[in-house]
Amino acid sequence: MSQTNQQWQQRRETAVTAGVGNSLQVYVAKALNAEIWDVEGKHYIDFASGIAVVNTGHNHPKVIQAVAAQLECFTHPCFQVTPYGSYIELAERLNERVPISDPTQTLLMTTGAEAVENAIKIARIATGRSGIIAFRGGFHGRTLLGMALTGKVQPYKKGYGPFPGGIFHAPYPCGYLGISESQSLAALQGIFAADVSPDDVAAIIIEPVQGEGGFYAAPASFLQQLRAICSEHGIVLIADEIQSGFCRTGKTFAIEHSGVEPDIVTMAKSLAGGFPLSAVVGRKSLMARAQAGGLGGTYAGSPVSIAAALAVVQLIDDEQLNQRAEQQGEWLMVALRQMAEEFDAIGEVRGVGAMVAIELVEAGDASKPDKAITQALVQEAGRQGLILLSCGVRGNVIRFLIPLTASKEIVMEGLKRLSSSLRVVQNTRPAK
Ligand code: PMP
């Protein structure tokens, strides 16, 4: 007998740890491009893309076809035992696409956190140094090293320490939060003076646009100065493009907007259009330094996910995903700026390409984040058939991660549901 959302929820509460959160208590039956249907047949427009995983839409026919063809051949000989050519082919495609002019090499893993962990391992073995600098508000995964790099305590780090040492956090430059580029750079110099010598630092890891942290984009000039500091001290610059990559911002990788060449790029999520796969792509001079057996994993570079990723890489050009991101970003910015006129809860509308967010505050005051209205909006939108995701160091940001393949009609219908949901939550907001 088919089960309702509520029945699944009851079984979930008994059977599954509460440590994994759910945005909505909606159980999926079917998904296609930017639409989802739940087990009760209710229709949703998906503005979350499975947390930035299906930039090419749910079940893109080309991705599904590629996976189906792979399933006919083999699913897991294990690359470390008997390799397969598709791993090499994908490595070649990624080496071509990454914004690094020197020769590059690729390592394939499974999750974003693993890509980050391996980027750090490679930076350490290549430099013979151990120190790592990351940024406050950054998110790099839920493994212990990923958590150590992540610059947000709740809900990620509290109670899970101690974390690996040798990691220092600098403030991420963010005008809206009152942190200027020069303050951030001065704090970095402060770390070099007080905590770790720059020649003991293996890597600086940064999201060119912070994802979980709130969709704040680092200014190009900041990334350029970071590049100069890394080059001066022989530090490996790692761009974590796990959320911002694969055309989300209108470039294949967000760091391309700054013209900066990182040394290593981490990628996952939309790399494989809904299948688990991650990659570390970096200068060959670094990647080649790891000893055989030092990197890898049983499932790393699954042939099924690789088949999906090869289809995704082809779609970047075939479906002009970067242009579509620009176009979708424009639709969103225009509509959201209009909404900001009507709803004083919207303190800022910002975006790079289709990586767009609204910051919800009390009466337009940036210093008063409104987490309660943000949470209420996600729930109300769910009731109105729109899947929204929140984020932000202060928990008061709604981020838009709509499949880049979504039609204008679907995006506009989603925005209508958003504005109607905003009206409900703003009108029912308790008076302060
Ligand atoms: N880095 C960034 C920038 C991310 O956004 C995420 C996931 N939200 C991760 C790393 C970790 O990826 P995963 O959840 O696949 O381990």
Side-chain angles (χ1 to χ4, degrees):
M1 212 181 76
S2 67
Q3 301 265 309
T4 63
N5 287 313
Q6 202 188 357
Q7 284 166 326
W8 279 120
Q9 185 58 25
Q10 273 165 6
R11 287 171 63 178
R12 187 251 195 258
E13 281 163 21
T14 308
V16 179
T17 169
V20 184
N22 305 114
S23 296
L24 297 174
Q25 295 178 5
V26 164
Y27 287 78
V28 177
K30 191 181 150 188
L32 191 63
N33 201 359
E35 294 171 276
I36 285 181
W37 290 263
D38 74 9
V39 288
E40 297 170 18
K42 184 174 157 82
H43 172 255
Y44 299 81
I45 292 174
D46 185 12
F47 274 15
S49 290
I51 323 186
V53 169
V54 290
N55 284 357
T56 46
H58 292 282
N59 285 34
H60 191 293
K62 290 272 169 57
V63 174
I64 298 303
Q65 226 172 44
V67 166
Q70 180 59 45
L71 290 176
E72 295 289 318
C73 303
F74 56 87
T75 63
H76 184 71
C78 186
F79 188 74
Q80 285 160 225
V81 182
T82 45
Y84 29 90
S86 57
Y87 188 121
I88 321 298
E89 250 183 282
L90 181 61
E92 288 168 351
R93 294 289 86 77
L94 298 178
N95 292 338
E96 286 160 12
R97 296 258 172 191
V98 88
I100 299 175
S101 47
D102 287 344
T104 54
Q105 288 188 326
T106 287
L107 165 74
L108 298 179
M109 298 300 297
T110 308
T111 66
E114 283 179 302
V116 166
E117 294 243 356
N118 281 280
I120 300 294
K121 282 171 66 177
I122 292 163
R124 282 185 170 163
I125 199 144
T127 59
R129 307 170 178 183
S130 62
I132 307 291
I133 293 171
F135 288 85
R136 294 197 192 133
F139 184 87
H140 300 288
R142 283 187 177 80
T143 54
L144 283 170
L145 180 59
M147 286 292 86
L149 296 166
T150 289
K152 187 179 177 204
V153 166
Q154 281 287 11
Y156 308 123
K157 297 170 86 159
K158 187 173 156 40
Y160 293 114
F163 302 106
I167 291 161
F168 308 92
H169 288 92
Y172 193 88
C174 175
Y176 191 75
L177 298 179
I179 305 161
S180 72
E181 211 175 308
S182 57
Q183 279 170 326
S184 179
L185 286 166
L188 184 60
Q189 294 302 335
I191 290 174
F192 290 155
D195 300 310
V196 61
S197 166
D199 55 15
D200 286 331
V201 175
I204 296 183
I205 182 166
I206 187 163
E207 294 161 90
V209 182
Q210 282 193 336
E212 304 302 318
F215 280 27
Y216 302 110
S221 50
F222 179 80
L223 292 169
Q224 286 153 10
Q225 292 188 70
L226 217 51
R227 173 70 271 175
I229 292 166
C230 286
S231 299
E232 182 189 345
H233 298 291
I235 298 170
V236 174
L237 179 60
I238 303 172
D240 184 345
E241 294 267 7
I242 286 167
Q243 190 151 165
S244 56
F246 286 88
C247 311
R248 173 54 53 189
T249 67
K251 301 265 187 208
T252 308
F253 299 102
I255 199 159
E256 293 174 47
H257 292 281
S258 69
V260 164
E261 276 197 25
D263 300 305
I264 292 179
V265 179
T266 53
M267 46 191 95
K269 293 191 185 274
S270 275
L271 160 63
F275 292 82
L277 187 70
S278 63
V280 183
V281 185
R283 291 186 204 276
K284 186 176 172 193
S285 55
L286 303 170
M287 301 294 289
R289 297 287 293 278
Q291 72 279 30
L295 308 177
T298 306
Y299 295 111
S302 154
V304 179
S305 300
I306 288 175
L310 284 167
V312 166
V313 172
Q314 189 61 38
L315 288 173
I316 294 177
D317 298 323
D318 289 358
E319 299 205 354
Q320 302 196 304
L321 294 182
N322 283 315
Q323 289 89 326
R324 288 173 88 145
E326 290 291 349
Q327 202 176 47
Q328 189 190 90
E330 276 168 33
W331 303 334
L332 287 173
M333 293 303 279
V334 169
L336 293 169
R337 283 191 176 127
Q338 257 167 23
M339 276 184 227
E341 309 261 300
E342 185 183 347
F343 302 106
D344 67 1
I346 300 180
E348 189 179 55
V349 179
R350 57 174 172 267
V352 188
M355 194 163 180
V356 172
I358 52 176
E359 179 114 13
L360 298 175
V361 296
E362 288 175 30
D365 183 344
S367 69
K368 292 187 179 152
D370 199 338
K371 188 172 170 181
I373 206 173
T374 310
Q375 289 173 341
L377 180 59
V378 171
Q379 296 310 313
E380 179 57 29
R383 280 189 284 276
Q384 298 205 23
L386 175 66
I387 299 170
L388 287 183
L389 273 183
S390 63
C391 67
V393 272
R394 307 186 298 176
N396 66 321
V397 177
I398 295 288
R399 53 178 150 169
F400 299 93
L401 289 165
I402 309 173
L404 303 175
T405 47
S407 67
K408 185 170 187 182
E409 195 190 346
I410 282 287
V411 174
M412 290 304 165
E413 174 58 30
L415 287 166
K416 229 163 78 187
R417 294 180 190 186
L418 171 69
S419 131
S420 155
S421 307
L422 264 165
R423 199 160 296 125
V424 171
V425 294
Q426 184 150 306
N427 290 340
T428 53
R429 181 155 60 173
K432 289 250 156 98

